[in-house]
Amino acid sequence: MKILQVFSLISTLLATSQVPDLHIPNQIHLHRPDLHIYNQIHFLRPLSGSHGHDIPGVSCSSWRLAVETNNIIGWTIVPEECVNYVGHYMLGQHYRNDSKVVTDAALDHAKSMNLTGDGKDIWVFDVDETTLSNLPYYASNGFGSTPYNSTAFNAWVLEGKAPALPESLKLYKSLLSLGIKVVFLTGRPEDQRNVTVANLKEVGYHTWEKLILKNSTYYSGSTAVVYKSKERKKLEENGYRIIGNIGDQWSDLLGTNTGNRTFKLPDPMYYIS
C-alpha cells in the first residue's frame, strides 16, 4: 500500500510540474526602436526582410555574394549605394580574411597531389588583383564606381608600384617549396612586360616558369576566357600539368584546360568577361 502511495505522489508531482520559462519574447527590440520582429522562433534569425524593414548593408553584401558566385555578370560599375561598402570591405580585414580562406584551400589541394617531380607540375596565377594589387589605384578612383579608364589604369601600371597581395605571395612561396612551378597568365598587353617583371620581382615574386602576356594583335577582339583557355591549352600541349589555377575573375577560371582545380579570389570592384 505504501508503494502505491509513493507512485501516486510521483505521478502527481510530474503532472503538476511546470516547464521552465525559456524567456522567448513575442517581440524583440534589436537596438533600434523602430525595428521589431514578431513571433520570434529563433534568436539567430537573420536580420533581413523581417517585418518589411530594410537593414543597412544587407543588400550590398548580397550583391557582393552574387558577384563572387558569378550570378551577376556583365556589370560595369559598382552600384552607387554599395561604393562605401566595397571600399570598407577592400580596405578592411574582411577582404584579407576571405583571401586567406581561398589560398589556404589552394595550398591544401596542392599538398594532396601526388607530384611527379619531373618539373612539369605548374600552378597558373593571374596577375592583377591576384598576385599584384591595384588597390591604391582603385582607392583613388572610387572603388569601381566609375567606368574603366584604360588610359588612367595603364598609367598606374607603368609606375610599377603595385603591392603584392599578401596571401597570394604566401601561397606562391609555399607552392615553390613543394616543387610546383609557377606560370603567370595575365591580360596585360605584351608592351607592359618589362614593368610587370620589375614589379613582380620588387614585391617578392622572384622566379617563375613563364610570364604570359596578351598578344593584342593575335587576340584582338577575344574575351579573356578565350585568350586564357588557348594559352592554358598551349601549356598542356607542351607537357605541363596544371595542378591549380587561381584568379580574381571568373574569366580566369572558366573555359577549357583549367587544371585540376580552380580557386576564385574576391574582387567586387570590376568584372572582366
Side-chain angles (χ1 to χ4, degrees):
M1 187 66 182
K2 289 183 179 180
I3 293 177
L4 291 175
Q5 289 175 339
V6 170
F7 275 113
S8 177
L9 177 60
I10 293 174
S11 298
T12 300
L13 289 173
L14 290 174
T16 59
S17 63
Q18 299 295 317
V19 177
D21 183 3
L22 297 179
H23 303 293
I24 301 180
N26 288 327
Q27 177 177 314
I28 294 181
H29 298 260
L30 295 170
H31 310 295
R32 281 177 48 183
D34 62 322
L35 176 60
H36 310 295
I37 296 180
Y38 294 89
N39 300 317
Q40 183 84 1
I41 61 173
H42 197 288
F43 288 117
L44 297 182
R45 184 175 178 178
L47 302 182
S48 59
S50 301
H51 201 54
H53 289 277
D54 178 36
I55 309 302
V58 169
S59 59
C60 290
S61 64
S62 298
W63 175 83
R64 184 174 67 84
L65 174 64
V67 164
E68 298 296 2
T69 53
N70 208 33
N71 289 316
I72 295 179
I73 62 175
W75 55 280
T76 55
I77 60 172
V78 174
E80 181 180 355
E81 63 271 22
C82 295
V83 173
N84 286 339
Y85 170 85
V86 170
H88 282 288
Y89 170 77
M90 293 301 299
L91 294 175
Q93 189 64 30
H94 195 172
Y95 171 58
R96 178 76 178 267
N97 291 344
D98 286 352
S99 298
K100 186 177 187 303
V101 168
V102 176
T103 56
D104 283 351
L107 183 57
D108 286 343
H109 163 68
K111 289 179 177 178
S112 73
M113 300 297 294
N114 292 319
L115 304 177
T116 61
D118 62 358
K120 290 296 184 178
D121 295 316
I122 62 171
W123 194 287
V124 176
F125 279 81
D126 174 50
V127 172
D128 293 301
E129 272 55 70
T130 299
T131 48
L132 297 178
S133 172
N134 298 301
L135 191 52
Y137 169 82
Y138 283 101
S140 299
N141 288 272
F143 295 104
S145 62
T146 58
Y148 173 69
N149 184 319
S150 60
T151 301
F153 181 74
N154 288 332
W156 153 257
V157 169
L158 292 175
E159 292 182 22
K161 295 181 180 179
L165 274 78
E167 302 306 329
S168 295
L169 183 58
K170 289 180 183 179
L171 174 62
Y172 161 85
K173 292 178 178 179
S174 297
L175 293 174
L176 291 181
S177 70
L178 293 174
I180 299 174
K181 294 182 177 180
V182 166
V183 170
F184 294 120
L185 174 55
T186 174
R188 291 186 176 193
E190 185 63 43
D191 60 10
Q192 292 181 356
R193 176 174 293 276
N194 289 341
V195 69
T196 302
V197 167
N199 199 161
L200 286 168
K201 290 187 174 182
E202 175 67 24
V203 299
Y205 300 98
H206 297 301
T207 184
W208 50 81
E209 184 72 357
K210 291 179 180 292
L211 170 59
I212 303 171
L213 295 97
K214 190 175 183 179
N215 184 318
S216 300
T217 301
Y218 181 76
Y219 287 110
S220 177
S222 297
T223 65
V225 172
V226 170
Y227 156 60
K228 294 200 170 186
S229 292
K230 287 184 177 180
E231 291 299 325
R232 290 191 299 262
K233 183 178 181 180
K234 290 179 185 178
L235 289 169
E236 293 190 336
E237 288 175 343
N238 287 325
Y240 290 107
R241 292 177 295 274
I242 302 175
I243 300 299
N245 178 13
I246 189 167
D248 68 297
Q249 298 290 316
W250 279 102
S251 53
D252 300 326
L253 312 173
L254 297 175
T256 64
N257 307 86
T258 55
N260 288 93
R261 275 197 65 183
T262 61
F263 297 88
K264 170 72 170 66
L265 285 166
D267 182 2
M269 296 188 297
Y270 60 84
Y271 175 88
I272 297 176
S273 61

